[in-house]
Amino acid sequence: MDLDRKIALTSAAIYSALSLTASASFFVAATVTGDYTAVARIGGALWVLLLSYIVTMPPVISAVKKRMKATQ
Amino acid sequence: MTTRQITLPVTGMTCASCVSHVEGALNNLAGVEKAAVNLGAAKATVEYDPARASPAQMFAAVADIGYEVGTAQATLSVSGMSCASCVAHVEGALNGLDGVTKAVVSLALNTARVEYVPTLVTVAQMKRAIGDAGYEAAEPAAGVSAMDREREARQKEIRRQGMYLLFATPIALAVMIGTFYEYLAPAFRQFIPALLAEKWLLGVLTTPIVFGPGRQFFVNSFRGLRHGVTDMNLLYATGIGAAYFIAVINTLWPDAGFGGKGATFFESAALLTWFIVLGRYLEALTRGRTSDAIRKLMSLQPKTARVMRNGNEIEIPADEVLVEDLIRVRPGERIPVDGLLKDGYSAVDESMLTGESLPVEKKAGDTVIGGTMNKTGAFSFVATKVGADTALAQIIRLVEDAQASKAPIQKLADWVAGHFILGVHLLAILVFAFWFFFGYQMFFDPDTSFILSPAKLSEIGVFGFSLLLSVTVLIISCPCAVGLATPSAIMAGTGKVAEHGVLFKNAEAIENAAKLQTIVFDKTGTISKGEASVTDVVVGGEAHDSKSVLRLAAIAEKNSEHPLGEAIVRGAKERGLEVPDAEAFDSIPGHGVEARVDGREVLLGNRKLMAARGVDLAGLLAKAEELERDGKTVMFVAVDNAPAGFIAVADTLKDYSVEAIRTLHALGIETAMITGDNRRTAEAIARQVGIDRVFAEVLPQDKAAEVKKLQAAGRRVAMVGDGVNDAPALAQADVGMAIGSGTDVAKETGHVILIKDDLRDVVVAIEVAKATMRKVKENLFWAFIYNTLGIPLGAGLFYPLFRVIISPELAAALMAISSLTVTFNTLFLRRFVPSLRRGARGTGGPEAPRAPVLVSSAAK
């Protein structure tokens, strides 16, 4: 597997995990704390997931790239 | 390791985050040492190891993240090809050139179609490469100049955004009218079909706007995200996408819980897109104007030259002129390259390069500068510098480099803007979470409306309300204006100052020049002319007058090679006196000369010589000493052993030195002079010109140390000089200003080049630098004040008090206004005129100079 692909997969695994955690946390919090409709809970979780992806992708990709290139 | 540096034109960048986007992509390439992108100039400067990275990889990296390296196309006709392998040879030769992105050769048409980066390779180089491969390439059948390409690229962007605007405007207007149908005045409403208010129709109208003009934001942000980078497009895409998506859901499935029919924000998606496209269109229109100067300079370059080859006059492209070609120029034509005038006489208008308003007379032996306008006579000249070596090409390169460089303040602004996007998305999550879990329950009021809109949000649910505020934060936070603030002003400033014959080599020099407190001038060649001139002729008796004294002295000195003797001969000739040869001449080393003129014995020299010959100087000494105190050198003249008078010689001030120093004082800047001359001479010159401080008897190698001492005392120092010996001080100073007529070493070392030999341009440089930095600060103020006020407004901070929120489309309008405010504010800089260029200039006379208040001797 070439380095670029390895970087992409490793990064994707990390930022996806972070984003899904944030999204799931939102969903759980919405379910536990209030009387929200399913649409609000799911829609909110999706919005958080999208924004979390946007927030986590650049730093995670950059960090993974740096680390992998340094250890190459 | 040997590194190389190239500059790539990058198109498609719109904001500061694009800068970090492109810089990131380039810096991540193996072999790239450093990549710096300038938004205003739309250029990336890359320093790389050619063994590990190639321009082609850079093009691919830039293209991969959604931008483009600006390329041009040329079609060359190639002769001598006979088979397919010839095609491969020619293609190989072209593709082997750095800067050629693609070369396709057609055997059938005998042409080579080349796509290339104009900053890296020229058509002439391509033709040479084809020639080296054993074929012949004729002039390009099609090709455009750098200026045309630059204009074409800008026009293309203006056309593209203009088309989008044309398409989106009527539809967005219809969507807005339809949305607010029920709030319209009845008189107006009767002309509007009620159908327009139907949500499904609003959706149908909005869709082509979102996926037509708005498509660029989705495509660009997706490309960026694929590579892990975010930019402004992402803010737009998430804003437009969310507004559109919610509106579609609420129209098709009003009971889905997204706020129902009362929360169909089609107008938000449509108007948001429209405002952003409008902003981009206006920006493309206005941004080009900040780089007018470079276009003006480029337009000076004539496209053709009439060259004598084999006795025939032929017209060839200017970039194919060779050194030592003989070139003919007629009245009214521009001079194609730099050279030395051989035959003919003319007056040449050099104002476009030097700012000098009067035409300069040119005769055989004089230099001519490419790009200047021949006014009166025809002449021929020998080319001495061609292509990239001409003064005009170097000036253009310097201005381009300065515009492409980043001032320290801009680096900070870019860093802030680059990291801002992520921060904004993080803030959008927090805003969403706050309003979802707490804010809606605590503060929501069904009477809620948007600012400047009668529409109510009564039906909106917790999710729709939180999403709306979250989206608004994304839109309103766009730091476009922050990214534009500095580069647009620097671009306008460097261009403006270049019009006056002052070249800043980089943006840092502008920033430093605006903060200067002390300016140190070299004396000889900078403040003074650097050559002795006759300043006074004093007569000692009634037998002579000043003309006869000067004439006798000049004849006696005619064969002398001493600088003072040469000054006396020149002085006599300048006063219209004839200077024949002496009947006899003898040099008395260290003392003077003696000669026989018209049968009389003339003695010219110092006191010692006169005393040795028994000449009584009693009547002359008082006046002589007075002049010597002013730094002048006195040469006594005796005829037949009787005193006839004396001649005072001194290094004289350059024109306008006094005026320049006086204006600097008016600007609150301290002036100093540094020289290797003795203290008395230095002080005399300083008094005449009004310099504040004098550093006399300073050895060349110690000039930099004196500058360093001033800096250590907390002063921000500029050094103005022209000689090789000034180079270390020019480099040491915060701003080194090299006089254009000076040595190449000085010009290479200096941060600023004053093309003309005019000290007033120091004032011009400082005034324009101050105006530019003032503009940068104003721009940054407007940009940051917008975001500082806009973000809390968008996040709903004031909602609990006023029960109104800002709509996404209004946020987009404010964002566009912010960028335009900055751009228009910068355009005012084009109207700036330095004080010494406003109408009448002062006389430059020596009146009211200030005496040096502190005189220090730095003898080593």
Side-chain angles (χ1 to χ4, degrees), chain B residues 188-202:
Chain B
F188 184 57
R189 200 163 50 195
Q190 62 179 321
F191 298 106
I192 312 290
L195 183 70
L196 195 61
E198 291 291 331
K199 300 296 181 193
W200 64 267
L201 183 60
L202 293 176

Side-chain angles (χ1 to χ4, degrees), chain B residues 537-574:
Chain B
V537 180
V538 176
V539 181
E542 290 180 3
H544 300 278
D545 60 20
S546 63
K547 279 191 178 176
S548 72
V549 169
L550 184 58
R551 178 178 167 274
L552 289 171
I555 294 170
E557 286 280 16
K558 190 172 179 189
N559 294 314
S560 165
E561 290 178 353
H562 193 280
L564 295 178
E566 288 173 354
I568 290 172
V569 175
R570 200 169 47 245
K573 286 180 177 171
E574 281 169 4

Side-chain angles (χ1 to χ4, degrees), chain A residues 26 29-30 33 36-37 39-41 43-45 47-48 50-59 61 65 69, chain B residues 28 225 227-230 234 238 242 256-258 422 425-426 428-429 432 436-437 441 462-463 467 470-471 474:
Chain A
F26 179 90
T33 60
Y36 296 103
T37 64
V39 170
R41 279 181 286 142
W47 182 242
V48 171
L50 175 70
L51 293 181
S52 300
Y53 261 114
I54 292 170
V55 169
T56 54
M57 275 171 87
I61 291 174
K65 203 177 269 181
K69 282 190 173 173
Chain B
N28 280 338
L225 274 178
H227 291 84
V229 280
T230 53
L234 190 59
T238 39
F258 277 70
L422 283 185
H425 279 89
L426 199 59
I429 296 180
F432 180 75
F436 189 91
F437 289 115
Q441 289 83 352
V462 60
F463 173 60
L467 188 64
S470 181
V471 166
L474 291 177

Side-chain angles (χ1 to χ4, degrees), chain B residues 293-630:
Chain B
I294 201 84
R295 276 208 299 282
K296 275 186 202 162
L297 285 171
M298 283 177 166
S299 70
L300 297 178
Q301 176 65 59
K303 290 183 178 164
T304 59
R306 284 186 295 103
V307 180
M308 299 300 290
R309 295 260 170 95
N310 302 320
N312 297 319
E313 189 179 299
I314 57 168
E315 193 163 303
I316 61 170
D319 65 353
E320 291 185 12
V321 173
L322 303 171
V323 171
E324 294 193 0
D325 269 343
L326 186 65
I327 300 159
R328 301 274 307 154
V329 185
R330 294 178 186 142
E333 286 181 349
R334 281 196 187 280
I335 296 166
V337 295
D338 295 356
L340 217 55
L341 198 141
K342 195 178 175 202
D343 297 310
Y345 176 87
S346 186
V348 176
D349 179 2
E350 296 184 339
S351 60
M352 54 292 283
L353 291 187
T354 64
E356 178 58 56
S357 55
L358 293 174
V360 182
E361 291 187 11
K362 300 283 180 184
K363 57 185 186 305
D366 287 345
T367 54
V368 289
I369 309 170
T372 55
M373 175 66 80
N374 178 29
K375 302 292 277 189
T376 51
F379 62 85
S380 53
F381 74 97
V382 177
T384 53
K385 285 182 179 168
V386 300
D389 296 329
T390 62
L392 176 61
Q394 287 177 5
I395 288 170
I396 290 172
R397 197 164 55 242
L398 279 174
V399 176
E400 279 183 336
D401 286 351
Q403 294 188 336
S405 66
K406 285 183 185 180
I409 196 169
Q410 185 184 344
K411 287 176 188 162
L412 178 67
D414 280 357
W415 187 90
V416 171
H419 289 77
F420 204 65
I421 308 285
L422 283 185
V424 167
H425 279 89
L426 199 59
L427 184 66
I429 296 180
L430 296 176
V431 166
F432 180 75
F434 171 80
W435 286 103
F436 189 91
F437 289 115
F438 312 104
Y440 184 84
Q441 289 83 352
M442 291 165 71
F443 305 113
F444 182 72
D445 182 339
D447 276 342
T448 296
S449 62
F450 290 122
I451 292 174
L452 301 178
S453 166
K456 299 286 179 193
L457 294 173
S458 47
E459 289 181 43
I460 200 165
V462 60
F463 173 60
F465 187 74
S466 310
L467 188 64
L468 195 64
L469 288 166
S470 181
V471 166
T472 307
V473 166
L474 291 177
I475 306 297
I476 209 165
S477 306
C478 179
C480 279
V482 178
L484 274 175
T486 310
S488 63
I490 293 287
M491 207 157 187
T494 46
K496 168 58 67 185
V497 83
E499 287 173 15
H500 295 289
V502 179
L503 302 176
F504 276 94
K505 285 190 185 169
N506 54 51
E508 193 171 351
I510 294 189
E511 192 168 336
N512 287 340
K515 299 175 190 162
L516 288 174
Q517 295 165 306
T518 300
I519 299 187
V520 181
F521 292 90
D522 165 51
K523 183 185 89 67
T524 311
T526 302
I527 288 180
S528 68
K529 287 178 180 165
E531 62 176 29
S533 311
V534 173
T535 57
D536 303 87
V537 180
V538 176
V539 181
E542 290 180 3
H544 300 278
D545 60 20
S546 63
K547 279 191 178 176
S548 72
V549 169
L550 184 58
R551 178 178 167 274
L552 289 171
I555 294 170
E557 286 280 16
K558 190 172 179 189
N559 294 314
S560 165
E561 290 178 353
H562 193 280
L564 295 178
E566 288 173 354
I568 290 172
V569 175
R570 200 169 47 245
K573 286 180 177 171
E574 281 169 4
R575 287 161 176 80
L577 301 175
E578 288 212 8
V579 186
D581 286 336
E583 292 150 22
F585 166 83
D586 191 23
S587 167
I588 307 162
H591 295 287
V593 294
E594 61 181 328
R596 189 180 311 118
V597 182
D598 302 334
R600 292 184 292 177
E601 294 298 328
V602 176
L603 195 62
L604 179 73
N606 57 19
R607 284 183 182 79
K608 272 187 186 170
L609 178 65
M610 297 296 153
R613 299 297 175 91
V615 179
D616 180 15
L617 299 175
L620 295 170
L621 283 178
K623 180 69 179 169
E625 280 165 9
E626 183 191 329
L627 293 176
E628 279 172 340
R629 277 196 296 276
D630 285 341

